[in-house]
Amino acid sequence: MSTPAPGPSLPQDIQADLSAIDGIAAVPTMLNVICQTTGMGFAAVARVTEDRWIACSVRDDIAFGLKPGDELQIATTFCDQIRRSAAPVIIDHVAEDPAFQQHAIPKLYGFERYISVPITLPDGSFFGTLCAIDRKPAQVNRPNIVGMFRMFADLIGFHLDAHRRLAAGEALQRSEAFVKGVLTASPDCVKVLSTEGHVEFMNARGLELNQIDSVQDILGQEYAALWPEEERAKLRDAVRRAKAGEASRIEGFAPTSKGEPRWWEVSFAPFLPEEGGPLKLVGISRDVTERYHAERAQRAAAQALQDLNESLEKQVAARTAELRLSRDILESSATPICAFDTAYRLIAFNRAHSDEFHRIFAHRVQIGEVFYDLFPPDQAPIMRGFMARALDGESFTVTQEFGDPDLAKPCWEVSYSPLRDEKGAIIGAFHYAKDISERLRAEAELANTQEALRQSQKMEAVGQLTGGVAHDFNNLLTIIRSSVDFLRRPELPEERKRRYLDAVSDTVDRAAKLTGQLLAFARRQALKPEVFEVGERLRSVSEMVDTVTGARIRLVVETPGEPCFVKADLSQFETALINMAVNARDAMAGEGTLTLRLVRESKLPQIRGHAGTHTAFAAVSLSDTGTGIRPDQLGRIFEPFFTTKEVGKGTGLGLSQVFGFAKQSGGDVDVETQLGHGTTFTLYLPEITVEADDRTLGAAPAEISSPIGAGQSVLVVEDNLEVGRFATQILEDLGYRTTWAVNAEDALEKLGPNGNGFDVVFSDVVMPGMGGIALAKRLRERLPGLPVLLASGYSHILAQDGTEGFELLHKPYSAEQLGRILRQLTANRPPASLPPRPAG
């Protein structure tokens, strides 16, 4: 904005008007409310005459550049138009308003939104305008906003008139005795109505004027119903306008209860009782019958005087109620609030703050006290630090304990903000506090309860898992134990021996499978991820699925035309498909349709309360036409050992393996079911992008058919004595030379710096001190040509990080498996000649 135009010195009466505006304490609050309510950045009260425009009070948040006392040329404003027409000017958007698109004034000052209403004194004389502008457009031509501007303008006019009439500066008497005196001495009918217009009170003079014997005769009646039929509409309209916050006045004819004709002047205004409660309407009825019948000139003069008095009374009631409302809101707040100046002295506080401070320190705060000095020595520096931050302009919230431990020392959540004047300078700060002790205690109790619940659930799950494992393994051990007992009999025929040996071997395989399923559910299995095309594997495994499900189940395979690649453990993937297919077969009682479907570039949905993702996933679903899953069972189907099948028909570990494999592979498994209509299990695995040149994987190396060694030297690293003896014995029986190291450190010493002639290292993974993975990585650096074979029944390191590229043999293993893998690893290495060494 350009610099305000200099003007001549102000006449005495205009200077007095500016001083009167400056003396109205509520004006800055009104301007603040206007800016906050409308979102406009500039608001002002201006004194406007025929040739001058002077700023009286200003709130400027957009650097418009005006301050109190500055002048604008009257021709560069809309205010001369407002002065002459007594009508407001309102613009929502200059650029879209045909009346103002090309107007010079908005272009001069650069605003898009504008509202200005006249400030008129009770005698009808024009004082100036209440205006606001902003550089951004928005709708301000709304009844509530215009009504607020008119209300504030009326209040300013009332104060100016009171200032002029009460030159001695006497304040309006508001005491109860004064109000009662006014009601008693009032020559008018004063009544209180509900917002619906029903009579709740009428003073004695009103009863006399209306010739009503008792107030009980009219209490609860609609006031408009006491008037003739033709007058009731305007009475009800006046009540409605007063209820909406607008002071209203009407004149009309209504005879007394005894039939005497009367002409009345009636005014209504809203007010809120100081003691609280709903909005009320105060009505004042004056008998103007004599005035009505007097000569026109006398009636006009009397009417003007009457209007002046009535207007003053109405505005006193309405505006006083509004001011009290703001005060009551602050006072009635249960949140302790206080303000302090730049010297840390209290300048304001509400009742809640006084009460809370007395509760925790047994002291009633007083205006002017240095606030932090009221705290104990250990708390005063903390409070002073918070206050200083706010006085430096920071708005923040902190949590801190304050109080006398012998009385109460709650934990408070305290929010600070600086206080600024119209120019933006910091003149103090304020804080509001909230006692959060109960909330913190409740949160702590909730956390303890949740932890106890988690522990209970954990122990229940451990008990269920332990029971299931014990049951299944005891069954398997029973078979092994019984078979071994029979094998000890010397007279046992060879055929029976083979049968019992096969039983032992099969049972070991079942135990290994059971362990693998448990590890899969717990996501602790050592996976061997590889890249494969899902559609191709689905088509390949469908033959196996078809065999498992039987001839009466029709198998349908649906795959997309484009390839879909994932990186996962292929063996576990196929096992998961078989497990889901077996479940589907049993759900269909061996007859129905099973559909295997692949959808690529799917999104992982939200499953069991976990957030989904927007990355590409391969979705492999198996849909059956079976009986579906009951709602009470649906939440448990992935639990280990949970099964709805008959005893001996299932272990309850099939879906646990699917769940664990999906989770450990970075995916998930979902289920949709409907009783009587079947179930769909969907396995989600992260889809990867594979370059065309990489899609053809190299041919797998030819398997070694014989496990028999050719004298290769094997360093066996095993800390368990029984397993170590057994492994070395197996290898020697298979034709290998063995040396036994009881730990990784011993193995490194036996290998020396150059391998000491060993052809391969066969090491356990889990050992005290350095583990097998760490040993293998050390040997990869020191002896990169020396093959390493790892063996493990379970290792959390393998489950988390994988095999690091080393060959892994799962326990329990057979002698044939061990021999074949060692032959594979040493196929291209001629047997080494070992120098003599002490027996391991």
Side-chain angles (χ1 to χ4, degrees):
M1 195 197 88
S2 58
T3 304
S9 59
L10 298 176
Q12 187 64 32
D13 58 341
I14 294 182
Q15 185 61 56
D17 288 338
L18 268 63
S19 298
I21 291 293
D22 190 54
I24 302 173
V27 167
T29 301
M30 295 179 196
L31 299 182
N32 183 40
V33 170
I34 286 173
C35 290
Q36 289 185 352
T37 303
T38 64
M40 303 175 82
F42 176 88
V45 174
R47 178 70 171 99
V48 180
T49 67
E50 292 183 359
D51 57 355
R52 305 188 74 168
W53 188 102
I54 307 106
C56 302
S57 184
V58 175
R59 177 183 176 88
D60 186 0
D61 294 336
I62 58 174
F64 189 62
L66 278 180
K67 59 183 182 296
D70 286 348
E71 291 194 41
L72 296 178
Q73 295 181 6
I74 189 69
T76 66
T77 72
F78 292 115
C79 292
D80 188 51
Q81 170 187 335
I82 296 171
R83 180 184 65 81
R84 286 184 278 104
S85 66
V89 173
I90 305 171
I91 309 173
D92 289 333
H93 191 178
V94 169
E96 296 181 357
D97 194 325
F100 298 99
Q101 285 176 341
Q102 304 302 322
H103 205 287
I105 292 177
K107 292 182 179 180
L108 176 63
Y109 296 115
F111 62 78
E112 286 292 332
R113 190 174 10 154
Y114 178 88
I115 181 169
S116 181
V117 299
I119 299 174
T120 307
L121 301 183
D123 63 0
S125 60
F126 177 79
F127 174 84
T129 59
L130 174 63
C131 58
I133 65 171
D134 197 78
R135 296 189 177 98
K136 296 179 180 179
Q139 186 177 7
V140 292
N141 193 5
R142 294 184 294 178
N144 60 325
I145 294 179
V146 177
M148 176 183 68
F149 270 81
R150 290 183 184 276
M151 181 178 68
F152 286 164
D154 289 347
L155 184 57
I156 293 170
F158 157 71
H159 278 286
L160 289 171
D161 182 70
H163 183 273
R164 291 179 178 180
R165 296 178 61 184
L166 303 176
E170 294 179 356
L172 180 63
Q173 298 297 318
R174 296 185 178 90
S175 68
E176 183 177 357
F178 175 79
V179 174
K180 288 183 177 179
V182 169
L183 291 176
T184 302
S186 174
D188 303 321
C189 171
V190 180
K191 65 198 78 57
V192 175
L193 307 181
S194 69
T195 53
E196 302 305 320
H198 293 90
V199 179
E200 296 185 356
F201 168 82
M202 183 177 288
N203 67 345
R205 178 58 176 165
L207 297 175
E208 178 184 349
L209 289 173
N210 288 278
Q211 297 180 325
I212 297 172
D213 295 332
S214 171
V215 72
Q216 298 299 326
D217 296 338
I218 61 171
L219 286 181
Q221 295 190 39
E222 183 187 18
Y223 180 64
L226 301 177
W227 286 59
E229 180 76 27
E230 62 273 13
E231 300 283 357
R232 293 175 186 174
K234 59 184 178 183
L235 261 295
R236 288 169 178 152
D237 180 67
V239 168
R240 179 189 58 76
R241 288 186 283 124
K243 177 182 177 181
E246 176 184 351
S248 58
R249 183 181 65 83
I250 62 110
E251 290 185 2
F253 170 78
T256 67
S257 64
K258 298 186 183 303
E260 293 185 11
R262 291 284 190 274
W263 282 88
W264 304 93
E265 180 187 80
V266 188
S267 60
F268 297 96
F271 77 100
L272 280 171
E274 286 190 358
E275 65 275 10
L279 182 74
K280 305 292 183 185
L281 306 179
V282 61
I284 300 176
S285 300
R286 175 160 296 176
D287 183 353
V288 294
T289 305
E290 293 182 3
R291 186 192 68 199
Y292 183 81
H293 293 295
E295 294 182 355
R296 184 181 300 273
Q298 293 175 341
R299 186 168 63 246
Q303 184 66 47
L305 179 60
Q306 188 73 17
D307 286 348
L308 176 62
N309 292 335
E310 289 298 324
S311 178
L312 178 60
E313 290 175 5
K314 288 188 294 182
Q315 292 187 47
V316 165
R319 305 318 177 208
T320 300
E322 292 167 5
L323 294 175
R324 284 175 177 166
L325 176 61
S326 298
R327 180 198 67 194
D328 290 346
I329 289 173
L330 183 64
E331 280 299 317
S332 62
S333 172
T335 299
I337 303 172
C338 82
F340 47 90
D341 62 15
T342 54
Y344 302 92
R345 295 172 301 200
L346 288 174
I347 57 176
F349 53 83
N350 67 348
R351 183 179 304 165
H353 183 275
S354 176
D355 291 344
E356 286 297 288
F357 200 88
H358 184 267
R359 176 172 73 92
I360 64 175
F361 287 122
H363 173 76
R364 288 287 180 187
V365 293
Q366 303 293 325
I367 297 296
E369 288 182 317
V370 176
F371 189 51
Y372 66 80
D373 282 345
L374 305 178
F375 288 75
D378 62 324
Q379 301 175 32
I382 300 173
M383 175 53 67
R384 191 184 191 283
F386 293 156
M387 298 170 74
R389 288 172 61 186
L391 291 173
D392 285 340
E394 184 179 354
S395 295
F396 61 96
T397 299
V398 294
T399 301
Q400 185 67 41
E401 289 186 347
F402 287 115
D404 185 343
D406 295 333
L407 298 173
K409 193 177 182 182
C411 187
W412 301 92
E413 184 178 81
V414 193
S415 297
Y416 286 85
S417 294
L419 287 172
R420 302 178 186 271
D421 61 14
E422 294 87 348
K423 297 180 180 179
I426 294 176
I427 59 174
F430 72 95
H431 77 229
Y432 55 92
K434 183 179 182 181
D435 184 348
I436 61 172
S437 304
E438 286 299 326
R439 188 187 79 192
L440 294 179
R441 278 193 290 270
E443 290 174 353
E445 291 176 1
L446 178 60
N448 292 336
T449 302
Q450 290 175 334
E451 180 60 26
L453 178 61
R454 281 193 292 269
Q455 289 297 328
S456 174
Q457 292 172 334
K458 182 192 300 182
M459 295 307 297
E460 181 179 353
V462 169
Q464 178 183 350
L465 182 62
T466 304
V469 171
H471 176 270
D472 278 15
F473 268 99
N474 281 333
N475 288 339
L476 298 175
L477 292 173
T478 298
I479 297 173
I480 296 174
R481 178 63 181 269
S482 300
S483 299
V484 170
D485 287 343
F486 276 103
L487 288 171
R488 287 193 176 121
R489 295 182 180 183
E491 72 280 4
L492 193 69
E494 287 298 322
E495 181 182 354
R496 298 290 294 277
K497 284 182 181 180
R498 285 195 299 274
R499 186 184 305 170
Y500 285 125
L501 287 172
D502 290 342
V504 171
S505 179
D506 292 344
T507 304
V508 170
D509 289 341
R510 288 168 58 192
K513 181 180 179 181
L514 176 62
T515 304
Q517 289 175 319
L518 288 170
L519 291 175
F521 168 73
R523 290 175 256 171
R524 293 295 187 270
Q525 68 206 28
L527 299 179
K528 294 182 179 179
E530 58 182 290
V531 177
F532 60 88
E533 203 279 302
V534 184
E536 178 185 346
R537 298 315 306 168
L538 274 185
R539 291 185 290 273
S540 298
V541 83
S542 63
E543 298 179 3
M544 189 186 311
V545 171
D546 199 18
T547 302
V548 168
T549 55
R552 291 190 302 160
I553 292 180
R554 176 172 172 263
L555 181 64
V556 178
V557 180
E558 299 178 359
T559 58
E562 306 82 11
C564 176
F565 292 91
V566 300
K567 186 175 183 180
D569 188 308
L570 180 57
S571 174
Q572 290 291 329
F573 172 74
E574 293 177 346
T575 299
L577 294 180
I578 295 299
N579 285 335
M580 289 190 287
V582 169
N583 260 37
R585 176 200 66 190
D586 296 342
M588 293 186 290
E591 184 174 1
T593 300
L594 177 63
T595 303
L596 276 70
R597 180 181 294 108
L598 168 63
V599 178
R600 63 184 301 269
E601 294 186 356
S602 178
K603 309 300 180 186
L604 182 64
Q606 294 185 6
I607 301 175
R608 291 179 293 278
H610 298 287
T613 68
H614 294 288
T615 54
F617 274 77
V620 180
S621 62
L622 281 82
S623 302
D624 63 55
T625 56
T627 57
I629 304 172
R630 296 207 316 262
D632 61 319
Q633 298 173 347
L634 191 59
R636 301 188 59 195
I637 58 175
F638 296 113
E639 294 180 9
F641 300 109
F642 176 77
T643 179
T644 60
K645 300 175 184 178
E646 299 176 7
V647 176
K649 294 295 183 66
T651 64
L653 288 173
L655 292 181
S656 299
Q657 181 271 337
V658 177
F659 177 84
F661 163 67
K663 286 291 189 179
Q664 196 171 357
S665 302
D668 210 334
V669 59
D670 197 10
V671 57
E672 296 180 0
T673 185
Q674 186 177 0
L675 286 177
H677 292 81
T679 301
T680 297
F681 283 91
T682 303
L683 174 65
Y684 292 93
L685 295 175
E687 185 176 352
I688 64 171
T689 302
V690 177
E691 298 296 333
D693 295 341
D694 299 332
R695 294 184 179 181
T696 303
L697 304 178
E703 291 190 1
I704 302 297
S705 58
S706 173
I708 304 301
Q712 291 92 339
S713 178
V714 182
L715 178 61
V716 178
V717 188
E718 174 61 66
D719 65 297
N720 185 281
L721 297 179
E722 289 78 6
V723 177
R725 290 196 194 100
F726 187 70
T728 55
Q729 184 62 55
I730 288 175
L731 291 174
E732 288 175 0
D733 290 344
L734 291 173
Y736 295 91
R737 291 180 294 162
T738 64
T739 300
W740 182 9
V742 296
N743 53 48
E745 292 77 9
D746 185 21
L748 291 173
E749 182 177 349
K750 284 182 168 58
L751 287 166
N754 57 6
N756 211 6
F758 285 103
D759 295 294
V760 65
V761 175
F762 176 44
S763 174
D764 191 16
V765 171
V766 180
M767 296 184 293
M770 181 186 297
I773 293 290
L775 171 63
K777 292 168 72 173
R778 181 81 63 86
L779 294 179
R780 177 186 285 168
E781 297 174 358
R782 181 190 295 184
L783 303 167
L786 180 63
V788 177
L789 172 61
L790 299 175
S792 177
Y794 160 69
S795 168
H796 70 283
I797 297 177
L798 287 173
Q800 292 174 357
D801 302 329
T803 63
E804 300 282 350
F806 298 104
E807 195 69 33
L808 176 67
L809 180 63
H810 289 280
K811 294 180 180 179
Y813 54 80
S814 67
E816 185 173 348
Q817 287 176 309
L818 175 59
R820 288 182 187 280
I821 294 178
L822 287 178
R823 281 288 306 275
Q824 190 78 43
L825 292 175
T826 59
N828 297 322
R829 291 176 59 89
S833 297
L834 288 177
R837 64 169 67 86

